[in-house]
Amino acid sequence: MLKIVTIVGARPQFVKAAVLSRVVGKHKDVEEILVHTGQHYDHNMSDVFFEEMEIPKPAYNLDVNGMGHGAMTGQMLEKIEGVLEREKPDWVLVYGDTNSTIAGALAAKKMHIKVAHVEAGLRSFNMEMPEEVNRILTDRISDILFVPTDTAVRNLMNEGYANIDAKIVQSGDVMQDASHFYAQHSESKAKLPIEKRSGDFVLCTLHRAENTDNPKRLAAIVAALNELHKTIRVLVPIHPRTRKLLESNNLQLNVDLVDPVGYFDMIELLKHCKIVLTDSGGLQKEAYFFQKHCVTMRDETEWVELVEHGYNVLAGADTALILSSTQEMMSKSSDFSNPLYGDSKAGEKILEALQNFEK
Ligand code: UD1
């Protein structure tokens, strides 16, 4: 029996974990124990994903949230160590680049438990982002690195991974697996009223610390969205972080604001929107999976292949550039058939590599 402890905590990790959990469910000789750090805890930031995507209920919920980075990561480390002492798994599996990711990897590595990192090798080259620190450190202490893209392999090679004792497996992107699978079921299961997800609209999300925690950037983005909403409906499912920071900075977002949405609603929004405007990593890719152009409100991206192929454009937090890029991308037509993110079999490839791993 192969025993895997999977650590999740933040919204995009629930989506990614759903893919592997579904594959594990087909294998009687594999046991997966899901640990939820508690980083995201609101119903519509967490539970709704477990319900909709039929992810097994976590065996542990560590209830660590709402603190500074040090306290949050520290408490997670301590609690995850306790779980690992009890469960003694063969593998600890972590996803992406959040504080839950680094806490899970570090706790495991110090106990000499093998670490698998899904979505490895991505870089923004901006060390002020907490995510960049988390992903570099997690990669370095992982035994197996599941990379989604050619760029990610190149990034690792540039950092000397040819001489580092870690196995690199190009699995493709787990989020693509999820998009393809759940898109077949989303229409009948979406909960947002039909008028929210039809007609002409721009789908926008905004939550990155580099934007929300910088009042100048936040104000410039708000100005762009308010201006754009005068010509086309801008639908913003608003992250709790952003809601709080808009209030504390006295900024008024005059757009179509809704609470954070579940996965099926997000898929329906992606299917029907004109264009995506975002500072999220995952949504940039999801836009592409649903053949939509994207304007990214950041100065850099980990998904450079989308920019290289003209599907995505970086507009930073510059009001005029966000507006002109949106106009430009809305009138563009592209061929979205490039297989940039693998063949939607990432889940199977990941499990197979864990089962057959030899040092
Ligand atoms: C985290 C990740 C980010 C990821 C994002 C996805 C880190 C460093 N950042 O950012 O990479 O893109 O998740 O959403 O791990 N809050 C609630 N309810 C919730 C969750 C959060 O109210 O269910 C509020 C809390 O006030 C919290 C704040 O949002 O302090 C920020 O949450 P946190 O988990 O620190 O980071 P995110 O911004 O969600």
Side-chain angles (χ1 to χ4, degrees), residues 10-12 39-42 45 66-67 69 72 97-100 130-131 134 207-208 239-241 244:
R11 187 168 56 173
Q39 183 170 351
H40 287 174
Y41 50 92
D42 285 346
M45 295 289 287
M67 290 166 248
H69 287 269
M72 190 199 286
D97 54 20
T98 72
N99 292 339
S100 300
E131 293 85 357
N134 290 339
H207 75 273
R208 281 276 173 189
H239 190 292
R241 156 197 281 289
K244 283 179 204 163

Side-chain angles (χ1 to χ4, degrees), residues 48-290:
V48 66
F49 292 87
F50 286 83
E51 290 159 14
E52 287 185 346
M53 305 181 86
E54 298 176 10
I55 308 169
K57 225 174 129 52
Y60 297 87
N61 192 324
L62 309 181
D63 198 23
V64 182
N65 49 57
M67 290 166 248
H69 287 269
M72 190 199 286
T73 314
Q75 283 199 16
M76 285 177 189
L77 253 179
E78 190 178 349
K79 292 190 176 183
I80 292 170
E81 189 175 75
V83 172
L84 299 181
E85 263 162 12
R86 224 175 114 182
E87 298 292 347
K88 302 191 172 29
D90 300 298
W91 284 100
V92 165
L93 188 78
V94 295
Y95 291 96
D97 54 20
T98 72
N99 292 339
S100 300
T101 312
I102 180 66
L106 190 52
K109 194 65 185 176
K110 293 232 173 150
M111 295 174 74
H112 308 155
I113 298 168
K114 293 195 291 288
V115 178
H117 185 204
V118 177
E119 236 184 31
L122 300 171
R123 299 290 182 262
S124 67
F125 304 100
N126 176 355
M127 283 298 273
E128 288 188 5
M129 288 175 69
E131 293 85 357
E132 182 75 353
V133 178
N134 290 339
R135 56 171 90 98
I136 289 176
L137 298 180
T138 302
D139 279 349
R140 186 59 190 84
I141 57 174
S142 292
D143 295 274
I144 188 161
L145 300 165
F146 292 107
V147 295
T149 58
D150 296 341
T151 316
V153 177
R154 266 198 309 276
N155 289 339
L156 291 173
M157 289 307 140
N158 289 340
E159 289 176 19
Y161 272 76
N163 300 315
I164 287 175
D165 189 17
K167 191 168 179 186
I168 298 173
V169 175
Q170 192 157 0
S171 56
D173 194 295
V174 280
M175 286 185 82
Q176 180 171 276
D177 294 26
S179 288
H180 284 165
F181 180 75
Y182 291 98
Q184 305 161 42
H185 310 282
S186 55
E187 193 179 347
S188 59
K189 297 197 172 159
K191 295 196 187 83
L192 260 186
I194 192 80
E195 64 273 15
K196 292 279 180 202
R197 45 194 165 99
S198 50
D200 282 352
F201 68 96
V202 172
L203 172 61
C204 171
T205 73
L206 170 67
H207 75 273
R208 281 276 173 189
E210 70 213 74
N211 286 330
T212 57
D213 296 7
N214 179 330
K216 249 177 97 178
R217 289 183 72 97
L218 189 59
I221 291 171
V222 166
L225 300 180
N226 287 348
E227 188 58 32
L228 187 62
H229 187 65
K230 292 178 187 159
T231 55
I232 180 168
R233 182 167 65 94
V234 178
L235 180 87
V236 183
I238 189 106
H239 190 292
R241 156 197 281 289
T242 314
R243 190 182 284 282
K244 283 179 204 163
L245 283 150
L246 287 171
E247 275 165 24
S248 62
N249 285 292
N250 266 323
L251 288 166
Q252 193 74 36
L253 196 49
N254 298 316
V255 299
D256 191 3
L257 276 184
V258 293
D259 285 336
V261 296
Y263 192 58
F264 290 131
D265 278 325
M266 191 49 106
I267 289 180
E268 286 305 301
L269 291 172
L270 282 159
K271 280 185 191 167
H272 297 292
C273 70
K274 277 254 174 242
I275 190 171
V276 173
L277 224 70
T278 191
D279 60 3
S280 149
L283 208 65
Q284 293 174 51
K285 266 182 305 170
E286 287 172 324
Y288 167 76
F289 301 151
F290 290 94

